[in-house]
Amino acid sequence: MTKWVYTFGDGAAEGRAGDRNLLGGKGANLAEMCSLGLPVPPGFTITTEVCNAYYANARCYPASLEADVAVALDHIGRLTGRRFGDPSKLLLVSVRSGARASMPGMMDTVLNLGLNDETVEALAADSGDARFAYDSYRRFIQMYSDVVMGLDHEVFEEILEDQKGGLGHELDTELTAIEWQSVIALYKAKVEEELGKPFPQDPHEQLWGAISAVFSSWMNNRAITYRRLHDIPESWGTAVNVQAMVFGNMGDTSATGVAFTRNPSTGEKMLYGEFLVNAQGEDVVAGIRTPQNITEAARIAAGSDKPSLQKLMPDAFQSFVTISDNLEKHYRDMQDLEFTIERGKLWMLQTRSGKRTAKAALKIAVEMARDKLISKEEAVARIDPASLDQLLHPTIDPKAARDVIGVGLPASPGAATGEIVFSSNDAEEAKAQGRKAILVRIETSPEDIHGMHAAEGILTTRGGMTSHAAVVARGMGKPCVSGAGSLRVDYRAGTLMAMGSTFRKGDTITIDGANGQVLKGAVPMLQPELSGDFAAIMEWADAARRMKVRTNAETPLDARMARSFGAEGIGLCRTEHMFFDGDRIVAMREMILADTEKDRRTALAKLLPMQRSDFLELFEIMAGLPVTIRLLDPPLHEFLPKTEEEVAEVAAAMKVSPDKLRQRTEALHEFNPMLGHRGCRLAVSYPEIAEMQARAIFEAAVEAGRKAGALVVPEIMVPLVGLVKELDYVKARIDAVARSVMEETGVKITYLTGTMIELPRAAIRAHVIAEAAEFFSFGTNDLTQTTFGISRDDAASFLETYRQKGIIEQDPFVSLDIEGVGELVRMAAEKGRATRPDIKLGICGEHGGDPSSIHFCEKVGLDYVSCSPYRVPIARLAAAQAAVQVAKLGRG
Ligand code: ADP
Ligand code: MG
Ligand code: MG
């Protein structure tokens, strides 16, 4: 029979850390902490399989579950000397969700479950603290009504604010037992008024209500959105944890808090966290009161006058330090901890690998490898390649003048400038219009995730380092300043008040996630440092990888940037992209629009020196590294003059009438330029174009070689080949030009001629094409378009629908479609190698910078990937991780 429920408590557990799939992250780690002998309130975990069974079976539970839960409740009872539902030996529990991957803020927890009008009195008597008992009950009514019965928590907040106002209290902790009792009466009346039924008094009804609420929340919109953004499959399901309560709200010797074993922003090795005295659950992260620092060092650094935990509760603090050190060593990773102190006694409520910024991830991995806690290979494996992006972003120039208008917490590093928006929708709208925005909120909630994605940075006036805004921004790699308490946001008026000035929607501000400052206007930024931990990880990655990483670049700026990011050559230089600027576009248009070979040659003669000097510069920047230059490949419509002004300009340059030019433009019109007269088809029609380009390449190679005193070996790539005869034809022209340049210069030129594989026919005929091609470069953008028969430029309107309807999982233009397009790549690579064993194989589509596509490239044994400059470090790391994994698990 399936085991649906796993217990833990008192130094033993039925599960382990490795049972995360079954018990969820939280349940597995609670079990593990118990087995390690740490103080964890006893409890049990209802497995993720129950969640799946529940949804598979029209929201019904497996038949034996109720009995299994009753047995597990008895287990908690035995360990605590209490009984659920029995006022004489009151046992209260929390009901907590916990999926396999942590989903912050997505699932809701109910605390103090089991309280009712009768048991609350027992709790008061038992604890000798009536204020505590009624505080717990009112919290329970609030949480349960919200999470389980769907009554918005704001209705309770209103009642409470009213009462506090009437009584002249500022803080919740100031209310007396009697005052809480009248709040509770109002709460219960409100529940009945709103829902037409009384607040449930039966503890078992409460328990099953909460369990079902957790399972139901797996399918709420917030959870679905979060899963979509983080690629978490629905089939994982969530577990439910039921656990004996311990109380941080039992007066001044009790507290609750959260901590990281290292600083999650910088990675610095020091205990880092916040707590509140006489508080419960999520009070710390909710920003209701300002939390206190855990260590003295942190308190001093923050300039806080509120005592640290170290000072206030030294014994509990000491136990906590020991436990957190041990947990970090045990898990061999930075931990994110939740704890509660009940009358001086420490209880651990959660541990998990802590979320961290990319910068912190690097520092932690490098330090742990240097301390021999993990291997270098593991350090490399731990860095999410995509997260490196964050480190490649600018910071504020230290020499820049700063007009500081407010200071908050440095919640997520990096600096950002943008115009103020006060809502997530405005942030999205600004982005859609190509404007940069800073999302300014009092605090954020899961409903703001789309706005946080769209904004350059996030600023909140409330909440700490562990607030929603801070946690989510760090995950996204967005700069964030949280809890800037001196700023006042007025949503209704649309204003941000700071030091006596009023800023409005649309005004520009800058936030500095490194120190929490909010600055007026735009501020000069510095490019990122690529030394230190970054360099160490990259060095280890380079040692581990097999594939080379090249870049797609045609401008000197991009080529230099890519070199500084570690590119080992150019995998794709798109020659037509060199002709978009200034006068060049006019010469380019002249060439395209010429209707005789003679006119074309005249225009080409203008282009030749420009091409040659561009290539020379690229060869020099790449200093002997391979450079692959693709012959002209534009779908022509990209270059045709569009406005009257452009027509006039080109007409003047060509000395023809605008009318004649317009006719020629119309004659060149194509219904489907993407599948039209482009690629090698141009070179077949107008071989003089390929000849000019080949000449420019060879002359530049000779000159670069002469200057450097070393051979430069260009790789000439013929695009859009489907028939080997196309390649034969173009290659013959290239070879002829090479011979003449060698004769003219007296220098022997070594070069490769190859092709892009971007048509299914080319992949199918790869063994034949490889007779002529010395290399293949998989142009997976076009190969995806032509394999799917989907034009990338038109795909946006329906691919998202496909994704929502579960027809595709990922956009095939972002992550390679391994089953389809990938199969063609694999086949072409094999066929190519069969004919020409030493054929060079690479990829130069967008996919060359996508980690999962890179993993596939490693599996099929490509020699290199090529990607845009900013993705080069990502590709280096992803290629290393792929090499390590493929070496371990094989190519299968
Ligand atoms: P989340 O997944 O959102 O972190 P948790 O299940 O961890 O939610 O619950 C939130 C907080 O509730 C915990 O950090 C802890 O402070 C409190 N909590 C949960 N269970 C208990 C318990 N049994 N006793 C005391 N506090 C608890
Ligand atoms: Mg929560
Ligand atoms: Mg938690």
Side-chain angles (χ1 to χ4, degrees):
M1 231 172 70
T2 320
K3 185 169 169 57
W4 302 114
V5 174
Y6 286 68
T7 59
F8 56 84
D10 208 18
E14 293 179 321
R16 334 224 109 264
D19 297 328
R20 154 182 290 269
N21 295 1
L22 187 64
L23 303 180
K26 199 181 286 167
N29 286 333
L30 284 169
E32 186 83 2
M33 283 199 291
C34 267
S35 302
L36 292 171
L38 301 184
V40 175
F44 59 87
T45 304
I46 306 175
T47 68
T48 55
E49 287 178 354
V50 173
C51 185
N52 290 329
Y54 178 74
Y55 283 107
N57 196 17
R59 303 202 176 206
C60 286
Y61 293 116
S64 66
L65 186 69
E66 204 172 323
D68 294 347
V69 165
V71 171
L73 272 176
D74 284 344
H75 167 85
I76 304 182
R78 254 192 321 282
L79 295 182
T80 53
R82 301 174 174 277
R83 256 174 81 88
F84 187 66
D86 180 349
S88 68
K89 292 190 241 161
L90 188 62
L91 170 64
L92 300 181
V93 295
S94 64
V95 175
R96 322 170 62 186
S97 64
R100 201 191 291 190
S102 105
M103 293 172 58
M106 294 297 132
M107 301 287 188
D108 293 307
T109 296
V110 177
L111 304 178
N112 310 330
L113 190 139
L115 281 176
N116 57 29
D117 294 349
E118 187 186 357
T119 53
V120 68
E121 285 175 29
L123 184 63
D126 221 25
S127 63
D129 185 346
R131 184 215 61 84
F132 151 71
Y134 289 100
D135 176 50
S136 302
Y137 190 24
R138 67 89 188 177
R139 286 172 183 272
F140 173 52
I141 296 174
Q142 264 173 274
M143 272 183 271
Y144 191 91
S145 303
D146 180 4
V147 174
V148 182
M149 312 205 308
L151 190 54
D152 199 71
H153 59 97
E154 271 167 26
V155 306
F156 299 111
E157 267 151 39
E158 258 166 41
I159 295 176
L160 183 54
E161 286 308 309
D162 261 13
Q163 291 292 302
K164 281 195 327 204
L167 296 161
H169 293 316
E170 249 184 57
L171 298 175
D172 296 358
T173 43
E174 290 164 6
L175 270 74
T176 65
I178 303 210
E179 288 164 355
W180 277 127
Q181 276 174 300
S182 46
V183 171
I184 288 166
L186 293 170
Y187 277 9
K188 287 196 331 198
K190 189 77 188 173
V191 170
E192 209 162 342
E193 176 194 323
E194 294 279 335
L195 302 176
K197 56 181 179 197
F199 186 79
Q201 293 286 312
D202 174 10
H204 285 97
E205 184 190 337
Q206 294 173 354
L207 179 65
W208 284 100
I211 291 171
S212 297
V214 173
F215 284 133
S216 302
S217 71
W218 182 248
M219 291 304 238
N220 74 25
N221 289 336
R222 288 188 307 175
I224 290 169
T225 304
Y226 188 90
R227 282 203 290 276
R228 186 164 53 78
L229 287 171
H230 292 85
D231 287 325
I232 296 174
E234 194 180 297
S235 62
W236 283 6
T238 182
V240 178
N241 301 288
V242 177
Q243 191 177 22
M245 282 302 301
V246 290
F247 298 99
N249 57 335
M250 265 196 189
D252 288 343
T253 56
S254 301
T256 185
V258 295
F260 292 89
T261 54
R262 301 187 187 217
N263 183 318
S265 259
T266 63
E268 214 182 326
K269 190 174 176 181
M270 50 157 27
L271 190 61
Y272 184 87
E274 298 169 320
F275 76 105
L276 278 177
V277 174
N278 196 9
Q280 191 175 50
E282 310 227 285
D283 289 3
V284 182
V285 292
I288 294 166
R289 279 189 271 154
T290 304
Q292 294 157 248
N293 296 107
I294 290 194
T295 62
E296 265 302 278
R299 183 193 66 78
I300 292 162
S304 163
D305 54 4
K306 295 200 170 159
S308 64
L309 186 69
Q310 187 169 12
K311 209 36 170 282
L312 212 55
M313 303 180 188
D315 292 344
F317 171 78
Q318 261 323 311
S319 324
F320 185 65
V321 170
T322 309
I323 288 173
S324 50
D325 278 353
N326 288 342
L327 280 172
E328 189 182 280
K329 289 210 182 82
H330 179 73
Y331 284 98
R332 301 182 313 125
D333 197 9
M334 184 258 262
Q335 296 294 294
D336 172 354
L337 307 164
E338 295 175 10
F339 64 94
T340 280
I341 296 166
E342 178 181 309
R343 293 190 169 156
K345 160 124 178 90
L346 173 72
W347 293 95
M348 296 304 297
L349 291 170
Q350 195 169 339
T351 190
R352 63 179 160 209
S353 282
K355 287 205 192 301
R356 61 205 79 178
T357 61
K359 184 175 168 210
L362 282 180
K363 186 174 206 67
I364 292 168
V366 169
E367 282 185 4
M368 286 191 167
R370 292 204 169 124
D371 291 345
K372 304 263 184 291
L373 207 55
I374 58 175
S375 66
K376 285 181 183 171
E377 228 169 57
E378 193 168 349
V380 167
R382 279 190 183 182
I383 308 297
D384 170 12
S387 75
L388 293 182
D389 216 13
Q390 300 176 33
L391 301 171
L392 310 175
H393 290 301
T395 46
I396 292 178
D397 183 343
K399 292 196 283 285
R402 289 173 179 245
D403 187 351
V404 179
I405 56 169
V407 181
L409 299 169
S412 181
T417 295
E419 56 187 70
I420 296 174
V421 295
F422 292 107
S423 77
S424 286
N425 289 342
D426 287 349
E428 271 200 327
E429 194 182 312
K431 173 151 191 180
Q433 295 170 359
R435 289 176 292 123
K436 298 184 159 149
I438 303 288
L439 178 61
V440 180
R441 302 281 303 164
I442 295 173
E443 57 197 341
T444 63
S445 73
E447 279 86 47
D448 290 316
I449 288 186
H450 67 287
M452 296 175 75
H453 265 290
E456 299 297 307
I458 296 117
L459 168 63
T460 67
T461 56
R462 204 149 72 188
M465 292 292 287
T466 49
S467 65
H468 178 268
V471 172
V472 174
R474 280 199 294 272
M476 290 178 180
K478 296 266 155 135
C480 174
V481 170
S482 70
S486 67
L487 303 182
R488 284 276 162 276
V489 170
D490 185 336
Y491 292 138
R492 220 167 309 156
T495 56
L496 172 70
M497 238 92 77
M499 314 225 308
S501 328
T502 302
F503 296 82
R504 290 177 194 288
K505 183 178 166 206
D507 290 348
T508 298
I509 55 169
T510 297
I511 60 169
D512 185 351
N515 64 8
Q517 286 181 349
V518 184
L519 312 166
K520 184 174 169 176
V523 183
M525 306 260 180
L526 275 193
Q527 290 310 309
E529 239 333 304
L530 302 177
S531 55
D533 300 324
F534 181 88
I537 284 285
M538 283 297 149
E539 191 189 316
W540 299 343
D542 290 346
R545 81 185 144 88
R546 183 190 60 80
M547 285 190 295
K548 296 278 182 196
V549 175
R550 300 197 197 175
T551 192
N552 299 348
E554 38 278 329
T555 66
L557 187 73
D558 279 355
R560 274 199 198 93
M561 174 95 74
R563 277 294 285 143
S564 75
F565 290 155
E568 298 162 298
I570 291 179
L572 175 62
C573 167
R574 287 161 289 212
T575 44
E576 62 276 8
H577 282 218
M578 301 169 129
F579 290 102
F580 277 116
D581 309 332
D583 314 334
R584 293 176 164 213
I585 185 97
V586 180
M588 182 72 174
R589 283 179 175 147
E590 272 184 68
M591 195 272 289
I592 287 172
L593 291 165
D595 53 8
T596 65
E597 183 182 331
K598 185 173 148 283
D599 289 350
R600 212 162 15 252
R601 285 197 186 273
T602 311
L604 284 167
K606 292 188 200 166
L607 293 174
L608 174 67
M610 300 178 196
Q611 288 256 276
R612 190 173 46 220
S613 70
D614 286 345
F615 295 146
L616 178 60
E617 201 169 354
L618 288 182
F619 289 143
E620 283 175 345
I621 293 167
M622 285 297 149
L625 294 169
V627 175
T628 304
I629 296 163
R630 180 178 72 184
L631 298 183
L632 204 61
D633 173 44
L636 288 182
H637 71 297
E638 287 177 20
F639 286 92
L640 296 178
K642 287 176 191 82
T643 62
E644 284 302 309
E645 220 182 333
E646 284 169 356
V647 171
E649 193 181 15
V650 181
M654 294 174 74
K655 304 195 176 63
V656 296
S657 74
D659 262 350
K660 172 144 191 285
L661 193 72
R662 227 173 277 118
Q663 277 166 22
R664 175 73 182 147
T665 308
E666 269 153 34
L668 284 176
H669 170 81
E670 291 180 307
F671 289 103
N672 198 340
M674 215 234 352
L675 298 175
H677 197 188
R678 57 172 287 214
C680 66
R681 297 160 200 169
L682 284 172
V684 171
S685 309
Y686 313 126
E688 56 278 9
I689 301 178
E691 285 167 9
M692 179 282 285
Q693 292 202 292
R695 174 167 287 276
I697 293 168
F698 292 134
E699 289 178 355
V702 168
E703 196 175 337
R706 195 180 284 142
K707 277 186 168 175
L711 201 62
V712 170
V713 182
E715 300 179 358
I716 300 178
M717 181 152 73
V718 182
L720 217 72
V721 164
L723 302 157
V724 69
K725 285 195 177 165
E726 290 172 320
L727 181 58
D728 288 341
Y729 179 86
V730 181
K731 187 168 187 297
R733 303 289 154 149
I734 295 169
D735 291 342
V737 173
R739 279 192 302 272
S740 3
V741 176
M742 284 193 261
E743 252 165 51
E744 290 158 25
T745 59
V747 177
K748 182 166 166 12
I749 303 169
T750 312
Y751 63 98
L752 300 179
T753 309
T755 180
M756 281 183 108
I757 301 286
E758 50 191 336
L759 295 174
R761 192 180 196 285
I764 293 165
R765 301 294 293 165
H767 52 297
V768 179
I769 292 175
E771 283 170 7
E774 290 160 303
F775 65 87
F776 285 168
S777 178
F778 291 97
T780 47
N781 296 346
D782 270 317
L783 190 57
T784 300
Q785 302 201 82
T786 52
T787 300
F788 275 87
I790 290 177
S791 123
R792 177 162 69 157
D793 301 328
D794 302 311
S797 64
F798 54 89
L799 277 191
E800 185 47 33
T801 312
Y802 269 44
R803 231 163 74 112
Q804 278 165 9
K805 299 198 169 174
I807 291 171
I808 56 165
E809 267 186 16
Q810 267 171 322
D811 181 342
F813 293 104
V814 174
S815 200
L816 192 72
D817 159 46
I818 288 170
E819 293 167 351
V821 180
E823 201 47 44
L824 285 175
V825 171
R826 183 195 302 277
M827 182 179 84
E830 278 165 13
K831 289 185 169 209
R833 278 200 206 98
T835 312
R836 187 188 288 269
D838 65 344
I839 191 165
K840 241 196 215 190
L841 300 172
I843 181 175
C844 63
E846 294 299 303
H847 305 99
D850 169 64
S852 67
S853 312
I854 291 171
H855 197 265
F856 170 78
C857 295
E858 174 68 30
K859 276 195 184 166
V860 293
L862 300 193
D863 298 302
Y864 67 88
V865 299
S866 188
C867 56
S868 59
Y870 267 97
R871 298 201 76 85
V872 166
I874 296 172
R876 285 162 73 193
L877 186 57
Q881 293 177 348
V884 170
Q885 235 186 315
V886 169
K888 227 180 262 167
L889 304 174
R891 303 223 145 139

